[in-house]
Amino acid sequence: MKRRSFLNTIAATALAAGGMTATGAIAQDQSYTIGVAIPSATHGFMGGLNFHAQDTIKRLEATYPQLTFVLATAGDAGTMVNDIEDMVATRNIDALVVLPFESAPLTSPVQAVADAGIWVTVVDRGLSVEGIEDLYVAGDNTGFGRVAGEYFAETLSEGDKIVVLRGIPTTLDNERVDAFSAAIEGSGVEVLDMQHGNWNRDDAFNVMQDYLSRFPEIDAVWAADDDMAIGALEAIAQAGRSEEMWVVGGAGMKEIIARMMENDPQLPVNVTYPPAQISTAIELTALGLVSSTPVSGRFIIGSQLITPENAEQFYFPDSPF
Amino acid sequence: MTKTATSPATRASPTVNLHVLGPVLALLLLIALGAWLNPNFLSYGNVTNVLARSAFIGIIAVGMTFVITAGGIDLSVGAMAAFVAGLMILAMNSLIPIMGVGIPVILAGMAVAMVAGFIAGWLNGFLVAKVGIEAFIVTLGSMGIYRSLVTWIADGGTLSLNFDLRTLYRPVYYDGILGVAWPIIVFAAVAILGEILMRRTAFGRHCAAIGANEQVARYSAVNVDRVRIATFVLLGMLVGLATIMYVPRLGSASGSTGVLWELEAIAAVIIGGTVLKGGFGRVWGTVIGVLILSLIGNILNLASLVSPYLNGTIQGVIVILAVVLQREKKAAGAR
């Protein structure tokens, strides 16, 4: 993402510089500046999110000439706070779209932005205090776990054995795992173990290898993330047990979706948690500024079950994720 | 301190043995614990898994032993491994249209990895030895550079090796000779050569001399700058070698490849008995340290003794204990 964003930043800076001078002259034409603050592309999902953010900004700038966008990507919460302060102080933003790096440290800086009368859209991770944002757009973590859990409960029969790979220990991971556990409760499916694979291919590979040494019978794996699914699949292949179990990942990585489109028996389904939710947030924010369409409130993007039949709709070959 | 020098040799040798055996005892205890907790622990499959996954950190840690012995440190190895892996995948993918899918492309990729490791190590060494910046700062800087470069060349996503080439390259991680996987063979060879280099050559003694006292080494006609650069170059090339073994495993590299490898390698070196301040290094101890670190994770996965949230705590306690035991024995030996 960095490669694209480097050029885009130059373009955006040039545009913004042009926009700044133009703002004074044609203020009556109602031009707006929207600030977008997101974490930098440090892993697959965020890479996809960065791609969709830039893609959407490019499209909206072409559609609405009166809109200017300021995009900032930050590697940590502190940098993100600085970025937001700079946007307010020097770029005169009319609206802020922010995916908080962490909830707590970003809460009061974003509150200050809202208090200044600027429209605030919060994406994916909520702030610690409720009611600050005008619009909240997020994926459905509970649904993410529940949809996967329901598939396991329906497909497997009583006494079947599964293993689970968890993400980095966070609230988000807990919500998903709790919903998954609730969905399979009563189905008689036995969870052999749940260990953290940290949403990382290598860690998932190691944990899966150890599961395979430890359990002679495994019927299915909930990898809960497509990066972890790739690591787990490789470990299963190494053990020569590919026929024995299937794997359900999550978030719809393009490599996985491509394999599903070819009806890979090891990957029966997937569950969405779209990185393109940033597009929803930017689009709605822009729509609210340029028209009288009401856009305040909460917009939760449902987690859908991807099957080989509908996989094509979820395949984005250009996205890095 | 003068008493130390005159203490009888008969008393010194058993204490030295105990001190040296500290990490080995810890390793044996862990193996016994693992075997007791899970009957599959000593199975061929599990032993191969643990040794093969130790190989990346292990190969790097052998190089790190030389850098630390010479009084340096290298924080950039994890990021460097990710960057080299990224470059290697890019190079191999772009060579396919010219050379076709075949062994020459893989050999070219391996050459890219070794050359990239050489250059990256040399840059670190040059900045430390010739420009005179602290190794900690130089490699902290290069860590950030390589980490962001790999994210950049991967365009924020994951670089994946061409599928057909991957199938051809895969045996380098998964196959071996007589049931011993290639990564284990390479790790063993690196460890044995490293041990010889440290114990039996002028280079090994020069590393220890520089780490113990740079001024004295300089006055003793040791070419301090050259030896110091050589330690970083050696480490860089071993990072390249580790990458050659890593890429066939999952066939991909991303910004999250090799995260915290540098700390695992440094921890393994210190557990093995090398002095963090430099002046003394023990390559075979590093190998024991690497095995201890991978066994802890393996046993926790095999047994689920504690909440997975506490895995880090167990690892931390064992690392500190291993070093504490060893230091107490060392102090006793010195008294």
Side-chain angles (χ1 to χ4, degrees):
Chain A
M1 224 60 255
K2 287 274 171 71
R3 191 167 20 158
R4 287 202 187 101
S5 71
F6 179 60
L7 295 173
N8 277 3
T9 316
I10 296 173
T13 319
L15 262 174
M20 293 275 266
T21 46
T23 320
I26 49 160
Q28 63 273 36
D29 284 354
Q30 281 299 314
S31 59
Y32 299 101
T33 307
I34 299 177
V36 179
I38 52 178
S40 49
T42 46
H43 60 98
F45 178 80
M46 281 305 165
L49 194 120
N50 274 255
F51 167 82
H52 287 292
Q54 289 173 23
D55 195 47
T56 309
I57 287 173
K58 211 183 300 165
R59 187 157 35 78
L60 286 174
E61 278 178 338
T63 316
Y64 305 116
Q66 70 269 44
L67 289 185
T68 307
F69 290 86
V70 186
L71 176 68
T73 63
D76 58 81
T79 315
M80 183 173 270
V81 172
N82 296 345
D83 288 344
I84 293 174
E85 284 171 356
D86 289 349
M87 283 180 192
V88 175
T90 65
R91 310 295 284 272
N92 260 323
I93 54 169
D94 301 286
L96 172 70
V97 178
V98 57
L99 197 165
F101 204 95
E102 287 167 61
S103 300
L106 263 301
T107 298
S108 60
V110 174
Q111 174 134 44
V113 174
D115 290 346
I118 294 167
W119 176 279
V120 173
T121 303
V122 172
V123 190
D124 195 32
R125 299 170 200 168
L127 298 170
S128 307
V129 178
E130 278 181 35
I132 294 175
E133 68 271 8
D134 298 280
L135 170 64
Y136 177 66
V137 176
D140 182 3
N141 284 306
T142 311
F144 183 88
R146 194 193 60 241
V147 170
E150 282 166 355
Y151 180 79
F152 277 74
E154 282 164 23
T155 315
L156 295 169
S157 38
E158 201 163 324
D160 281 349
K161 295 174 171 62
I162 65 165
V163 290
V164 175
L165 293 163
R166 304 189 56 164
I168 294 168
T170 43
T171 338
L172 189 152
D173 185 59
N174 290 346
E175 281 177 15
R176 292 176 174 185
V177 172
D178 290 346
F180 179 84
S181 303
I184 60 165
E185 208 175 75
S187 66
V189 172
E190 186 189 345
V191 179
L192 294 168
D193 200 6
M194 294 188 174
Q195 294 280 346
H196 290 279
N198 303 323
W199 293 315
N200 177 302
R201 289 184 185 193
D202 292 309
D203 291 356
F205 178 83
N206 290 348
V207 172
M208 193 65 216
Q209 274 193 332
D210 291 345
Y211 280 156
L212 290 163
S213 309
R214 186 172 153 203
F215 304 115
E217 192 204 328
I218 302 172
D219 297 295
V221 182
W222 186 45
D225 173 77
D226 286 338
D227 267 316
M228 292 205 286
I230 285 182
L233 285 169
E234 201 55 61
I236 297 168
Q238 182 204 15
R241 289 168 71 176
S242 303
E243 303 286 309
E244 182 187 333
M245 66 197 84
W246 41 264
V247 179
V248 173
M253 180 191 285
K254 65 176 176 185
E255 286 86 0
I256 296 279
I257 302 296
R259 284 176 67 171
M260 285 180 62
M261 281 155 59
E262 289 161 14
N263 281 307
D264 189 329
Q266 267 196 288
L267 293 163
V269 295
N270 201 288
V271 184
T272 61
Y273 191 82
Q277 58 182 273
I278 190 72
S279 308
T280 315
I282 298 172
E283 291 268 7
L284 286 176
T285 307
L287 195 63
L289 285 179
V290 299
S291 73
S292 52
T293 314
V295 292
S296 58
R298 296 168 60 81
F299 192 106
I300 306 300
I301 300 159
S303 287
Q304 288 167 276
L305 191 70
I306 309 178
T307 59
E309 288 74 44
N310 68 5
E312 212 162 335
Q313 302 165 26
F314 299 95
Y315 186 59
F316 305 106
D318 296 336
S319 161
F321 183 66
Chain B
M1 283 308 280
T2 41
K3 273 182 186 169
T4 322
T6 54
S7 69
T10 43
R11 237 193 72 203
S13 62
T15 38
V16 163
N17 277 346
L18 261 182
H19 154 54
V20 168
L21 285 178
V24 181
L25 285 177
L27 180 65
L28 290 176
L29 272 176
L30 273 175
I31 292 174
L33 178 73
W36 177 64
L37 284 169
N38 193 307
N40 286 329
F41 178 74
L42 290 176
S43 67
Y44 165 75
N46 191 53
V47 171
T48 301
N49 286 347
V50 171
L51 289 176
R53 78 172 72 139
S54 308
F56 316 131
I57 306 278
I59 292 168
I60 293 172
V62 168
M64 188 69 84
T65 312
F66 287 89
V67 169
I68 292 181
T69 302
I73 190 122
D74 192 338
L75 300 175
S76 69
V77 289
M80 195 195 287
F83 177 58
V84 172
L87 274 187
M88 192 179 166
I89 291 173
L90 270 189
M92 286 195 286
N93 282 347
S94 56
L95 280 175
I96 289 175
I98 308 165
M99 300 168 72
V101 174
I103 292 166
V105 179
I106 293 175
L107 292 177
M110 289 176 172
V112 167
M114 294 308 285
V115 170
F118 178 92
I119 294 172
W122 184 83
L123 276 174
N124 277 342
F126 176 79
L127 289 170
V128 172
K130 296 289 185 188
V131 185
I133 313 171
E134 283 289 334
F136 188 93
I137 294 304
V138 169
T139 58
L140 187 68
S142 49
M143 172 172 87
I145 293 169
Y146 296 134
R147 183 62 65 197
S148 82
L149 280 180
V150 69
T151 312
W152 182 61
I153 60 174
D155 218 7
T158 303
L159 285 166
S160 296
L161 190 58
N162 172 285
F163 185 79
D164 296 326
L165 195 59
R166 166 101 212 289
T167 317
L168 191 68
Y169 191 6
R170 202 172 173 273
V172 173
Y173 182 82
Y174 292 98
D175 286 0
I177 316 174
L178 300 171
V180 185
W182 282 114
I184 306 175
I185 296 170
V186 171
F187 179 24
V190 166
I192 291 167
L193 291 176
E195 178 69 24
I196 293 170
L197 192 60
M198 184 68 94
R199 288 280 151 265
R200 298 266 175 267
T201 65
F203 174 69
R205 286 191 290 275
H206 288 170
C207 287
I210 295 171
N213 192 324
E214 195 181 322
Q215 286 307 319
V216 172
R218 210 177 283 276
Y219 295 145
S220 316
V222 172
N223 190 335
V224 171
D225 290 356
R226 208 176 63 191
V227 171
R228 182 151 281 164
I229 292 176
T231 61
F232 281 98
V233 167
L234 177 68
L235 176 54
M237 292 182 73
L238 287 174
V239 168
L241 185 61
T243 310
I244 289 174
M245 308 311 300
Y246 170 82
V247 169
R249 184 167 85 165
L250 296 174
S252 64
S254 70
S256 62
T257 299
V259 171
L260 294 183
W261 281 11
E262 59 281 349
L263 290 189
E264 277 194 53
I266 293 168
V269 170
I270 304 309
I271 291 172
T274 298
V275 181
L276 185 55
K277 282 180 292 186
F280 178 77
R282 191 190 287 138
V283 172
W284 67 263
T286 299
V287 174
I288 303 283
V290 170
L291 295 181
I292 289 177
L293 286 177
S294 355
L295 276 184
I296 300 170
N298 180 241
I299 290 172
L300 288 171
N301 282 341
L302 284 180
S304 40
L305 283 178
V306 291
S307 153
Y309 295 141
L310 289 174
N311 282 3
T313 310
I314 307 280
Q315 282 168 342
V317 167
I318 293 181
V319 167
I320 293 172
L321 267 183
V323 177
V324 164
L325 287 172
Q326 187 184 314
R327 289 298 128 109
E328 273 179 1
K329 273 160 194 157
K330 196 177 180 187
R335 215 176 290 129

